[in-house]
Amino acid sequence: MDIATLRANHPDHWKLATAIRALAMDAVQAANSGHPGMPMGMADVATVLYRNHLKFDASAPNWADRDRFILSAGHGSMLLYALLHLTGYKQATLDEVKNFRQWGSRMAGHPEYGHLEGVETTTGPLGQGISTAVGMAIAEKSMAARFGKKVVDHKIWVIAGDGCLMEGISQEAIGLAGKQELDNLIVLWDNNNITIDGRVTVSDITDQHKRFEASGWTTLACDGHDPADIDRALTEAKKAKGPVLVDCKTIIGFGSPNKADSYSVHGSPLGDAEIALTREVYGWGYGPFEIPVEIKAEWEAIGSKGASDRAEWEARLNGLSAAKKAEFERQMAGGVPKKLASAIRAFKKANSEAAPKVATRKASEMVLAAINPVVPETIGGSADLTGSNLTKTADMSDFMPDNRKGRYVRYGIREHGMAAAMNGLWLHGGARPYGGTFFCFTDYARGAMRLSALMGVPAVYVMTHDSIGLGEDGPTHQPVEHLAICRATPNTWTFRPADVIETAEAWELAISAEKTPSVLALSRQNLPTLRKTHTNSNMVAKGAYVIEEAAGKRQAIIMATGSEVEIALKARDILQAQAIGTRVVSMPCMELFAAQDEAYRRKILPPGAVRVAVEAAVRQPWDRWLLGERGTEKKAGFVGMDSFGASAPAERLYAEFGITPEAVAEKVKSLL
């Protein structure tokens, strides 16, 4: 639909949508940075969505039963910011709009979760939004099954662009959503045929309708500038039996006389002259950032129309039993049950006495068998490695279209999609997500794992086969640099437990975390129980502790994690037999140790003694503890990997790469 017809036939809609376009042009121009074209092109679709279909209340941004709106095409952030401001979200002030992309502004260049109410997830990297939304849709289905549709019944709406659909993660997401028949998920495709390099056709020939249909989606289409046609398509979408793609054919930079329908309006300000011309085309005779009172009032009325729905919902929530209402509110708030601590203590006591020799991946399964019954909101899964990651416990059934009470998601071979869905599960509320794959394949999940840390999503990444100790699968599967990568990521806890007790303590911390994701790096090979004396204290919470003290004068400190703690203890036996007093420090979480006060760190790593670190991985993250913290170069050594691994049984690999008690003892002696 052309602008003249749109203005003539839909004057009320036109005024509302033009307010979005004007704010987007002005904010990007003031910042001299941003993406005005997408908000200008999708303003009509967004106006119809917010005006006629989205269930929300601007005065209650965190209302549990609101529809979720995800701007997957996050570069078009001014579309979302304009909507939040116009509809009356308290934090989305005009001053914030004017300060778009500047220091301290809630309105960052891309939508950032936690900065501004109404932003449901961080959507900078393309494809993350649509993939995170799949997790939100799963969470909604799970919560509805557990608490009833009277208190959980809403949609997940997504605006995605061509870039979102080109990124490989999107295929993982749509395949999972189609398999799960998520009829609460509706994706509005901004089909403007423009990318930074030019027309989409310069790089892609995909028939998106056939692609989505092949994955079990319903596909619809509309003229993205005809409000009646948009409304028809969105109405149909809400009635479909599975997830829906609505192809919204739009013109990027709609209305710009010289830049519309071109890549030049994608990622750059229009310029004052072009904005003036565009205002003339729009019939918008107002200055920069000026929204007429009557138009703002109409938008605020849209923002408040959900208040009655929310009041009715609150009445239904209050109609639940006191216990069920309290449990609903606890799960949505993200707290953990009080029973968790006692369950972990009982598990530790029983296993410190039984002292099993098990792989830490098996220990993890044993801990989960204690956790899952007392934390009913855990939703687990694996990227098609359930039998290897050991992430499914006996009390769990599969989450499926015919069993929404199931708590185990079959993610398939979709590591990146799984990680993004885990973010969505948490962000929706009411779920504690964990998911597994081989540690080496954190490479495939990295984008979403980084966003977990950036957003403060306490997802738990169960990463098994954590070293060359996995053996015969060879170097493609043997992680050597991955501990360093995870430890280098801000706001991430990387746990590498040494035995069943440390595994339990790591899980307690991970499942109780409020704003920090956790990576559990777990062994394939069996490891003995090292801590056989029960203590209620969570030693892993300190990050590092003395697991075996020196006998006699302390001359050396050996630090290790995971499967190498056993090696360190055997090296200590060799050294002590030669009257070399040796302390062994288990360091299951460097981040938590770094967070301890100076006095504790000094107690664990005092000056003077030789220090050797042993880990079947690269040295890089160990230098702080070897050379810093009162250490010195001449008294520091490392036993580990400086290359990729090889294909052979684990025992042969440890011998060939020199990660043995004898090698550790010799390294210590060479430094004395």
Side-chain angles (χ1 to χ4, degrees):
M1 182 176 288
D2 63 83
I3 288 179
T5 304
L6 186 53
R7 289 179 63 182
N9 293 352
H10 304 279
D12 290 341
H13 166 90
W14 173 254
K15 289 185 295 182
L16 294 170
T18 304
I20 296 173
R21 295 184 171 106
L23 284 175
M25 291 191 301
D26 293 340
V28 172
Q29 187 65 29
N32 195 30
S33 172
H35 301 74
M38 182 274 194
M40 294 166 71
M42 282 297 280
D44 292 310
V45 174
T47 298
V48 173
L49 172 62
Y50 271 68
R51 193 182 190 188
N52 299 347
H53 298 278
L54 193 72
K55 182 173 71 171
F56 75 108
D57 180 356
S59 70
N62 299 313
W63 168 28
D65 200 40
R66 69 192 181 281
D67 283 358
R68 295 343 187 238
F69 171 61
I70 309 300
L71 184 67
S72 189
H75 55 277
S77 56
M78 268 311 304
L79 176 70
L80 177 55
Y81 298 153
L83 287 162
L84 296 177
H85 168 66
L86 291 168
T87 54
Y89 281 75
K90 186 177 180 180
Q91 293 182 347
T93 64
L94 189 59
D95 284 342
E96 293 288 355
V97 176
K98 292 178 178 179
N99 204 33
F100 173 58
R101 283 184 166 232
Q102 305 309 301
W103 177 261
S105 175
R106 294 181 185 275
M107 297 184 178
H110 292 80
E112 300 286 350
Y113 174 75
H115 290 211
L116 177 65
E117 289 178 339
V119 175
E120 302 281 7
T121 183
T122 294
T123 52
L126 294 177
Q128 288 291 333
I130 185 174
S131 307
T132 302
V134 173
M136 291 185 177
I138 291 172
E140 193 274 345
K141 291 294 186 186
S142 175
M143 287 288 284
R146 283 181 279 141
F147 292 96
K149 291 183 74 69
K150 288 184 177 180
V151 291
V152 183
D153 187 12
H154 51 268
K155 299 288 188 184
I156 316 297
W157 299 86
V158 180
I159 286 181
D162 293 303
C164 295
L165 302 191
M166 272 197 238
E167 288 286 358
I169 188 176
S170 71
Q171 184 58 44
E172 298 185 25
I174 70 171
L176 177 61
K179 168 62 181 174
Q180 289 293 346
E181 300 176 17
L182 297 174
D183 59 3
N184 53 352
L185 178 62
I186 302 171
V187 174
L188 311 177
W189 170 28
D190 176 20
N191 180 9
N192 60 41
N193 195 37
I194 294 292
T195 68
I196 292 174
D197 279 359
R199 297 281 171 193
V200 168
T201 49
V202 305
S203 60
D204 193 56
I205 61 168
T206 303
D207 184 325
Q208 296 291 354
H209 285 242
K210 290 181 180 177
R211 175 189 174 215
F212 275 78
E213 287 164 4
S215 294
W217 289 55
T218 295
T219 58
L220 304 170
C222 66
D223 178 340
H225 299 298
D226 180 345
D229 200 33
I230 297 166
D231 188 64
R232 171 200 56 78
L234 269 54
T235 300
E236 286 184 34
K238 291 193 292 187
K239 298 175 183 176
K241 290 185 178 180
V244 182
L245 175 75
V246 181
D247 174 349
C248 304
K249 187 59 184 169
T250 62
I251 298 172
I252 193 171
F254 187 60
S256 171
N258 300 302
K259 296 188 176 184
D261 196 30
S262 73
Y263 66 89
S264 63
V265 76
H266 171 81
S268 302
L270 272 73
D272 291 330
E274 187 69 11
I275 288 176
L277 292 173
T278 306
R279 275 182 151 81
E280 289 181 20
V281 172
Y282 289 165
W284 189 259
Y286 309 102
F289 300 106
E290 183 182 352
I291 304 296
V293 173
E294 65 275 13
I295 294 178
K296 184 67 163 71
E298 284 187 53
W299 266 116
E300 288 182 356
I302 293 169
S304 64
K305 66 182 172 61
S308 58
D309 285 337
R310 180 170 62 87
E312 292 170 6
W313 173 83
E314 287 173 346
R316 294 194 298 273
L317 181 68
N318 290 328
L320 299 179
S321 68
K324 193 169 186 179
K325 179 186 175 186
E327 181 64 6
F328 177 86
E329 291 175 339
R330 181 194 67 76
Q331 291 187 21
M332 287 300 295
V336 293
K338 294 178 181 178
K339 293 179 180 179
L340 176 64
S342 58
I344 294 293
R345 283 197 302 270
F347 178 91
K348 285 170 56 180
K349 189 173 190 303
N351 283 277
S352 61
E353 294 170 358
K357 184 174 184 178
V358 294
T360 50
R361 62 170 175 159
K362 178 62 178 178
S364 172
E365 180 188 45
M366 293 160 61
V367 179
L368 280 171
I371 290 174
N372 282 333
V374 299
V375 187
E377 66 270 29
T378 54
I379 295 183
S382 168
D384 198 56
L385 289 167
T386 297
S388 293
N389 301 148
L390 304 179
T391 39
K392 188 175 188 288
T393 56
D395 60 311
M396 282 184 150
S397 59
D398 288 349
F399 177 88
M400 287 289 177
D402 61 352
N403 182 29
R404 296 306 194 192
K405 288 187 177 180
R407 292 163 55 197
Y408 195 78
V409 181
R410 301 289 182 172
Y411 285 109
I413 305 125
R414 302 183 178 106
E415 293 89 353
H416 201 178
M418 174 181 72
M422 286 163 62
N423 285 336
L425 281 160
W426 171 263
L427 292 169
H428 175 276
R432 276 267 172 190
Y434 70 85
T437 185
F438 290 165
F439 190 31
C440 202
F441 301 145
T442 53
D443 288 343
Y444 285 4
R446 172 62 46 199
M449 291 176 72
R450 183 174 186 267
L451 287 184
S452 297
L454 183 63
M455 292 189 285
V457 171
V460 184
Y461 294 97
V462 184
M463 300 300 181
T464 70
H465 296 59
D466 69 337
S467 73
I468 60 170
L470 67 89
E472 293 86 346
D473 272 342
T476 60
H477 284 50
Q478 291 167 5
V480 293
E481 74 274 35
H482 299 76
L483 284 166
I485 293 169
C486 291
R487 288 166 177 161
T489 305
N491 190 40
T492 299
W493 290 338
T494 303
F495 296 103
R496 190 163 183 253
D499 68 357
V500 65
I501 305 301
E502 283 194 358
T503 304
E505 292 179 345
W507 259 113
E508 181 179 25
L509 295 164
I511 209 72
S512 305
E514 296 179 356
K515 293 185 177 181
T516 304
S518 298
V519 177
L520 272 63
L522 306 171
S523 75
R524 176 180 184 255
Q525 70 271 38
N526 289 338
L527 304 177
T529 299
L530 303 176
R531 283 172 49 191
K532 298 177 183 177
T533 301
H534 173 67
T535 173
N536 285 335
S537 299
N538 187 318
M539 301 302 293
V540 171
K542 295 287 191 181
Y545 63 96
V546 177
I547 193 166
E548 194 70 45
E549 188 52 279
K553 181 183 177 183
R554 182 177 58 242
Q555 299 180 62
I557 299 173
I558 304 176
M559 301 175 284
T561 72
S563 46
E564 286 71 72
V565 176
E566 179 188 8
I567 291 173
L569 289 167
K570 289 179 178 178
R572 176 190 177 276
D573 292 342
I574 295 171
L575 292 164
Q576 288 288 171
Q578 299 173 37
I580 300 172
T582 304
R583 166 186 285 186
V584 176
V585 171
S586 178
M587 195 177 288
C589 184
M590 290 185 179
E591 298 80 26
L592 288 175
F593 184 51
Q596 302 306 308
D597 59 32
E598 163 73 14
Y600 181 78
R601 298 200 312 274
R602 186 181 185 88
K603 179 182 176 183
I604 302 302
L605 297 178
V610 162
R611 295 183 190 177
V612 171
V614 52
E615 188 171 67
V618 298
R619 169 172 171 159
Q620 187 177 23
W622 284 100
D623 279 351
R624 172 173 178 176
W625 316 113
L626 289 170
L627 309 180
E629 299 285 334
R630 298 155 302 278
T632 62
E633 181 89 43
K634 64 182 181 181
K635 287 189 172 184
F638 178 72
V639 175
M641 300 294 294
D642 58 9
S643 68
F644 293 107
S647 184
E651 296 80 1
R652 181 67 181 270
L653 291 172
Y654 272 85
E656 293 290 343
F657 286 105
I659 307 174
T660 64
E662 293 76 16
V664 175
E666 286 303 313
K667 177 66 73 172
V668 168
K669 289 194 287 184
S670 73
L671 296 168
L672 288 172

